[in-house]
């Protein structure tokens, strides 16, 4: 799985959009970008994933650059409950490749 | 209802003891996992089971033995506990098709004295 690079921490004012960047310059064509978050000491929580198109769900939006070497997770209206460590993970999707390799993440 | 549950939530034990952590999922998923999060907060996969068969073993010591009696359960048995085994252990599950999102349990904090 490709390596990812994230800033160690970010601040965001409540009510504003939080934009969390992730660099994955060695990503392969069949690797997906996944985002998880871990609130305090709880189990990680899936947020969103994408391959090359931008994606949006009820929690967040994922913007992937055209060359796929970086992406941005957007929390449109961040609140105190979004305080967590956010992990950007790149891996091949599908059966047999379920391993998630967590980095150090971004503390928001 | 809790999707992925683990018992116990806290486990304090002496070095050399043998202990088990249980995990159950009611999501109908085929794949289950064990992850370990150490004191530095690094989260690493240990094992993965699909339909009761081991498919990922990340060079975990033989003292750790996962057991899957059925698709909904994946228990973790640890023999001869060492100080370095102190960590939070998370169980997770997923289905076999995209997005393969993994659902994590609340974690079991193991402290070895």
């Amino acid at each position: 799985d490709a390596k990812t690079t994230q800033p160690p921490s970010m601040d965001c004012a409540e009510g504003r959009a939080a934009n969390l960047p992730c660099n994955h310059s060695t990503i392969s064509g069949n690797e997906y970008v996944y985002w998880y978050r871990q609130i305090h000491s709880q189990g990680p929580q899936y947020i969103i994933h994408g391959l090359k198109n931008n994606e949006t769900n009820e929690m967040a939006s994922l913007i992937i650059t055209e060359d796929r070497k970086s992406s941005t997770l957007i929390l449109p209206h961040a609140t105190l409950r979004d305080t967590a460590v956010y992990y950007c993970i790149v891996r091949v999707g599908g059966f047999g490749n379920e391993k998630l390799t967590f980095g150090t993440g971004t503390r928001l | 209802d809790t999707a992925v549950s683990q018992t116990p939530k806290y486990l304090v034990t002496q070095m050399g003891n043998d202990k088990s952590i249980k995990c159950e999922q009611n999501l109908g998923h085929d794949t289950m996992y064990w992850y370990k999060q150490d004191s530095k907060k690094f989260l690493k996969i240990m094992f993965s089971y699909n339909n009761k068969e081991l498919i990922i073993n990340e060079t975990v010591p033989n003292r750790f033995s996962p057991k899957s009696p059925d698709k909904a359960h994946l228990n973790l048995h640890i023999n001869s506990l060492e100080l370095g085994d102190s960590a939070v252990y998370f169980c997770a599950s997923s289905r076999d098709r995209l997005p393969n999102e993994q659902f994590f349990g609340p974690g079991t904090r193991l402290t070895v004295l």
Side-chain angles (χ1 to χ4, degrees), chain B residues 71-88:
Chain B
K71 281 184 3 177
H73 296 84
L74 181 62
N75 304 322
L76 183 64
H77 188 75
I78 314 171
N79 290 328
S80 304
L81 278 156
E82 301 177 357
L83 292 177
D85 298 332
S86 295
V88 181

Side-chain angles (χ1 to χ4, degrees), chain A residues 36-104:
Chain A
Y36 280 75
R37 73 180 182 182
Q38 188 173 24
I39 297 173
H40 192 42
S41 297
Q42 298 177 21
Q45 176 190 24
Y46 166 84
I47 301 173
I48 198 167
H49 82 288
L51 182 62
K52 52 184 176 181
N53 297 323
N54 297 338
E55 301 288 344
T56 295
N57 63 20
E58 65 278 3
M59 287 183 68
S61 295
L62 174 60
I63 309 297
I64 303 174
T65 58
E66 194 168 340
D67 62 8
R68 302 186 69 238
K69 293 184 176 183
S70 65
S71 60
T72 301
L73 178 74
I74 301 173
L75 306 177
H77 305 288
T79 70
L80 286 176
R81 287 179 296 180
D82 294 317
T83 297
V85 177
Y86 288 78
Y87 297 97
C88 170
I89 299 165
V90 170
R91 70 173 180 90
V92 177
F95 175 62
N97 294 286
E98 295 83 358
K99 181 174 66 173
L100 292 177
T101 302
F102 287 84
T104 54

Side-chain angles (χ1 to χ4, degrees), chain A residues 32 34 36 38 40-46 49 87 91 93-104 107, chain B residues 31 33 35 37 41-43 45 48 50 55-56 58 88 90 94 96 98-102 104-106 109:
Chain A
Y32 288 74
Y34 286 78
Y36 280 75
Q38 188 173 24
H40 192 42
S41 297
Q42 298 177 21
Q45 176 190 24
Y46 166 84
H49 82 288
Y87 297 97
R91 70 173 180 90
F95 175 62
N97 294 286
E98 295 83 358
K99 181 174 66 173
L100 292 177
T101 302
F102 287 84
T104 54
R107 181 173 297 278
Chain B
T31 306
Y33 316 79
Y35 286 82
Q37 188 165 39
K41 301 297 185 181
F42 288 116
L43 192 61
I45 191 166
S48 167
N50 178 268
I55 57 173
I56 294 175
E58 287 290 301
V88 181
F90 290 100
S94 70
D96 283 350
L98 290 173
N100 302 125
E101 58 183 287
Q102 293 185 19
F104 284 78
R109 182 175 293 277

Side-chain angles (χ1 to χ4, degrees), chain A residues 3-38:
Chain A
K3 181 180 168 63
T4 62
T5 304
Q6 299 177 250
S9 65
M10 291 185 64
D11 294 329
C12 179
E14 198 168 15
R16 305 295 295 269
N19 296 283
L20 292 93
C22 179
N23 183 289
H24 33 77
S25 57
T26 61
I27 192 170
S28 301
N30 61 347
E31 288 185 309
Y32 288 74
V33 180
Y34 286 78
W35 282 84
Y36 280 75
R37 73 180 182 182
Q38 188 173 24

Side-chain angles (χ1 to χ4, degrees), chain B residues 15-76:
Chain B
M15 268 197 323
N17 284 350
D18 303 338
K19 290 292 178 185
S20 292
I21 305 172
K22 295 185 176 181
C23 177
E24 176 181 4
Q25 55 95 3
N26 62 7
L27 299 168
H29 289 165
D30 294 311
T31 306
M32 297 184 71
Y33 316 79
W34 277 108
Y35 286 82
K36 177 182 179 180
Q37 188 165 39
D38 61 24
S39 57
K40 295 184 179 178
K41 301 297 185 181
F42 288 116
L43 192 61
K44 291 186 64 175
I45 191 166
M46 301 173 68
F47 300 101
S48 167
Y49 266 74
N50 178 268
N51 285 317
K52 302 195 298 175
E53 288 191 26
L54 179 68
I55 57 173
I56 294 175
N57 182 342
E58 287 290 301
T59 61
V60 178
N62 291 337
R63 298 182 296 103
F64 291 80
S65 54
K67 287 183 172 51
S68 182
D70 55 58
K71 281 184 3 177
H73 296 84
L74 181 62
N75 304 322
L76 183 64

